[in-house]
Amino acid sequence: MNLKKIITIGSVVLISALLIYGFILARQIFSDNTKFSQKELYVYVPTGSSYDEVKKIIEPFVANMDRFDLVAEKRSYPDNVKPGRFLFTKGMNSYELVKSLRLNVPVNLAFNNQERIENLAGRVGNQIEADSLSLIKSFKDSIFLKENGFNEENILTLFIPNSYEIYWNTSAEKFRDKMIKEYRNFWNKDRIAKAAKQGLTPIEATILASIVHKESVKKDERPRIAGAYLNRMRLQMPLQADPTVIYAIKKNSNDFDQVIKRVFYKDLLIKSPYNTYVNLGLPPGPVAMPDITALDAVLNPEKNDYIYFCASVTHFGYHEFAATFEEHTKNARKYSEWISKQGVKR
């Protein structure tokens, strides 16, 4: 066999070997490498995770870890692990899996109707990496509170209930800083001016809105309720708001899980800075997180001469309003007789 034939045969063998290797490599990279039944799922990589820890996290969803490992090494992923929330879709190959682990997908974080900062921290902590304890610590940080004009009693007024796009691996401090930016965006010059027109600061407006929010779920009625409360404040009358009494009962007993449907006369005498039957003006903090419709009701109240209101027994969910105490007494008696017949004890 001459040299030319040997070189030709060798070349053929080499090319064949390269083609086979290329086929195997392509199979490693581009064939399906998932083993979950859902169309898609999210994997969560905690901050500070190593490559080995990532492999343990994704192992339940990857069909062949050796194939994934091969591609990850070639793509320099082990030295560039990123924390976050990552989307895997059924049928992804190893290349796509590695690519996906570099694309942090934000969460649509939502919260509303929280009664305390602790409840809010728990709600947020279920949606991002930061836990509730670290969130509470960041919210109550004395330097942060002082720099931004809040205190531990009114810090809940910082948070505007909404849906926010935020990365899952956001730290407690970064989440808090994002919320202060959202607060400043919400409280623009127009809203600050509207609050001032009612004789309120943004914090005071939010505290009053929390009472309005608790008084009625009927959004169309909230401006009327806000108008009545503002009338009381202008007359230097106590607000006499049942939601503040209910909050005081819960706070004094440290039981925010209890359901209170009825307020009795003895409850109106409870000693608490939140009891607006015995204290003039607004309570020191909100009794809940008001939604934006309640805030708008305080900033754009109905102009009326109402001073009193109580739950209606003919239009359930709404209230009967009165400008005089005599008229209010009649309305209140109707409600008291009706609720007694329902057998509501508390």
Side-chain angles (χ1 to χ4, degrees):
M1 187 178 292
N2 59 38
L3 181 61
K4 188 175 180 180
K5 285 185 177 180
I6 292 173
I7 293 174
T8 301
I9 293 171
S11 298
V12 170
V13 171
L14 179 61
I15 293 171
S16 298
L18 289 172
L19 287 172
I20 292 171
Y21 175 75
F23 173 78
I24 294 172
L25 186 61
R27 184 176 179 276
Q28 297 272 14
I29 297 173
F30 298 111
S31 61
D32 178 0
N33 197 17
T34 59
K35 62 173 183 181
F36 50 87
S37 59
Q38 310 97 303
K39 284 185 72 174
E40 60 182 36
L41 57 81
Y42 289 98
V43 295
Y44 297 83
V45 177
T47 300
S49 294
S50 66
Y51 177 55
D52 286 339
E53 288 169 330
V54 172
K55 287 199 291 184
K56 288 180 181 178
I57 292 168
I58 68 171
E59 189 174 13
F61 315 114
V62 177
N64 189 312
M65 287 302 297
D66 290 336
R67 283 159 52 189
F68 171 85
D69 198 37
L70 174 67
V71 175
E73 291 285 352
K74 289 186 176 296
R75 299 284 296 167
S76 302
Y77 176 74
D79 298 323
N80 296 281
V81 170
K82 297 180 181 297
R85 174 179 180 252
F86 305 99
L87 177 65
F88 281 7
T89 58
K90 186 174 177 59
M92 272 185 166
N93 56 49
S94 298
Y95 176 84
E96 291 168 330
L97 289 170
V98 173
K99 182 180 179 181
S100 179
L101 287 168
R102 287 185 163 131
L103 299 174
N104 195 359
V105 181
V107 300
N108 287 316
L109 182 148
F111 55 80
N112 59 12
N113 297 335
Q114 309 301 311
E115 280 191 307
R116 301 176 301 156
I117 201 69
E118 290 80 5
N119 300 117
L120 172 65
R123 172 74 174 147
V124 173
N126 284 331
Q127 299 178 75
I128 64 174
E129 183 178 18
D131 62 28
S132 59
L133 291 178
S134 64
L135 287 163
I136 291 171
K137 183 179 178 181
S138 72
F139 298 159
K140 293 187 176 183
D141 177 72
S142 59
I143 296 175
F144 170 79
L145 292 173
K146 186 176 181 180
E147 287 179 347
N148 293 285
F150 297 98
N151 58 46
E152 289 195 16
E153 291 290 346
N154 64 31
I155 184 57
L156 193 64
T157 64
L158 162 64
F159 302 93
I160 310 299
N162 211 330
S163 179
Y164 299 95
E165 190 173 86
I166 193 167
Y167 288 111
W168 172 80
N169 55 305
T170 299
S171 69
E173 290 73 21
K174 286 185 177 180
F175 172 76
R176 177 197 67 192
D177 294 343
K178 178 176 175 59
M179 290 300 100
I180 194 69
K181 288 180 182 178
E182 295 291 343
Y183 176 85
R184 289 169 181 157
N185 288 338
F186 180 84
W187 285 105
N188 53 31
K189 289 182 180 179
D190 181 53
R191 287 194 175 99
I192 291 173
K194 286 183 175 181
K197 187 177 179 181
Q198 307 305 327
L200 304 168
T201 65
I203 290 176
E204 291 170 336
T206 306
I207 291 172
L208 180 57
S210 75
I211 299 172
V212 172
H213 177 100
K214 281 292 188 179
E215 281 285 11
S216 179
V217 298
K218 304 296 185 181
K219 296 177 182 180
D220 59 329
E221 188 185 49
R222 286 175 173 174
R224 179 166 295 180
I225 291 174
Y229 275 133
L230 287 165
N231 288 341
R232 291 184 193 181
M233 293 180 72
R234 281 189 279 269
L235 292 170
Q236 291 291 296
M237 287 178 58
L239 286 180
Q240 297 182 334
D242 285 359
T244 67
V245 177
I246 292 171
Y247 187 88
I249 294 170
K250 291 181 175 182
K251 188 173 178 65
N252 281 10
S253 63
N254 195 30
D255 179 7
F256 281 84
D257 292 326
Q258 60 183 304
V259 177
I260 300 174
K261 295 182 178 180
R262 188 173 187 180
V263 174
F264 293 99
Y265 177 76
K266 65 177 182 178
D267 298 325
L268 307 184
L269 306 177
I270 188 172
K271 292 183 178 180
S272 168
Y274 283 87
N275 183 356
T276 56
Y277 276 85
V278 297
N279 299 295
L280 192 64
L282 292 164
V287 297
M289 178 185 290
D291 64 24
I292 292 176
T293 63
L295 284 164
D296 283 341
V298 171
L299 299 180
N300 305 281
E302 178 184 281
K303 292 182 179 180
N304 58 54
D305 60 355
Y306 296 129
I307 303 296
Y308 307 100
F309 57 90
C310 71
S312 175
V313 297
T314 55
H315 297 87
F316 293 106
Y318 285 90
H319 293 77
E320 298 292 346
F321 292 81
T324 66
F325 183 70
E326 290 75 20
E327 187 181 357
H328 171 65
T329 301
K330 294 178 183 177
N331 293 332
R333 187 180 299 117
K334 289 179 184 177
Y335 176 73
S336 179
E337 291 173 353
W338 178 85
I339 199 169
S340 293
K341 288 180 180 178
Q342 308 310 307
V344 177
K345 303 297 183 183
R346 173 54 101 181

